Amino acid sequence: MRTDDIELHLQVHQLLARYAHGVDRGDLAMAQSVFWPDAVDHHGGHWHGNAHAYMADLIGRQDAARAAGASGSFQHHFTSVLIERTGDDTARVVAAFLAFILYQREGEDRVALLSGRFLDEVQRRDGVWRVAARTVVNDFSTDDALGAPYGPGSWQSGGYLAGRYGSDDPARVFLSGAPTAMGEPAIDQ
């Protein structure tokens, strides 16, 4: 493995982590930073077009649903990631994912589970790797994977920090360097 292959692998894993955090926590700038401005995203019948526009549409729909009082959140988890270099500045990535989606049906919280893969074409431009094209493969999904979930912050009401959508999510607060939701200062750099 070449030294720049190691860099490629690290940057691809960082892109996937930034995607998950951006989409799951409603951080549009982070979600868009995964893609080149001219990148294409094919998300099945939901979207086929510019990836930046898709991120804005997806997060905008999440924001609108929350403003209307809907509960809901995403949790994306990447499992196996296969990276094949196709040129000095290009590679193909197959990233398996699980996505848990909390939503409401008839006033009851439900958890959908999606299992699939991202087929990403990544390019390095000016020393930076980003996604140039993404196609989503759905291996299977179900609209009620776990039954009714416990509430946020609960492990049977165990008092954990509650995950939130938007700028007051504990991870977004933590990454900004501000004090955490428990009032403790963030770790100094």
Side-chain angles (χ1 to χ4, degrees), residues 150-161:
Y150 293 111
S154 174
W155 173 248
Q156 295 121 345
S157 300
Y160 293 93
L161 286 175

Side-chain angles (χ1 to χ4, degrees), residues 20-21 23-25 62 72-78 97-102 111-114 163-164 169:
H21 182 82
V23 170
D24 294 349
R25 300 294 141 222
Q62 288 175 231
S73 65
F74 294 116
Q75 275 270 324
H76 286 80
H77 299 269
F78 291 96
F97 69 84
L98 297 171
F100 296 90
I101 302 171
L102 176 65
V111 178
L113 169 64
L114 289 77
R164 294 182 177 83
D169 176 69

Side-chain angles (χ1 to χ4, degrees), residues 3-183:
T3 302
D4 65 341
D5 284 339
I6 296 168
E7 175 191 358
L8 166 63
H9 282 250
L10 291 171
Q11 286 200 31
V12 164
H13 282 275
Q14 184 69 359
L15 289 172
L16 294 170
R18 292 178 67 78
Y19 176 86
H21 182 82
V23 170
D24 294 349
R25 300 294 141 222
D27 187 334
L28 179 58
M30 185 176 288
Q32 288 177 329
S33 75
V34 171
F35 301 94
W36 289 112
D38 59 344
V40 175
D41 191 317
H42 186 124
H43 247 80
H46 299 290
W47 189 271
H48 182 77
N50 180 270
H52 279 221
Y54 179 61
M55 293 296 96
D57 178 72
L58 176 63
I59 291 174
R61 284 186 284 122
Q62 288 175 231
D63 290 344
R66 289 174 181 286
S71 67
S73 65
F74 294 116
Q75 275 270 324
H76 286 80
H77 299 269
F78 291 96
T79 56
S80 59
V81 178
L82 176 64
I83 303 167
E84 296 288 337
R85 186 180 283 276
T86 57
D88 287 340
D89 296 316
T90 59
R92 291 192 171 184
V93 177
V94 178
F97 69 84
L98 297 171
F100 296 90
I101 302 171
L102 176 65
Y103 71 101
Q104 286 189 334
R105 184 191 312 151
E106 299 172 2
E108 291 187 23
D109 284 336
R110 312 279 267 203
V111 178
L113 169 64
L114 289 77
S115 175
R117 288 164 285 145
F118 287 160
L119 308 180
D120 288 344
E121 293 181 35
V122 296
Q123 292 178 350
R124 179 171 49 187
R125 300 179 189 171
D126 296 324
V128 177
W129 288 95
R130 290 189 184 165
V131 176
R134 169 170 287 166
T135 299
V136 180
V137 174
N138 181 350
D139 290 313
F140 68 86
S141 59
T142 180
D143 70 346
D144 193 14
L146 306 174
Y150 293 111
S154 174
W155 173 248
Q156 295 121 345
S157 300
Y160 293 93
L161 286 175
R164 294 182 177 83
Y165 179 83
S167 61
D168 62 343
D169 176 69
R172 286 187 67 186
V173 171
F174 175 74
L175 290 173
S176 76
T180 65
M182 297 298 285

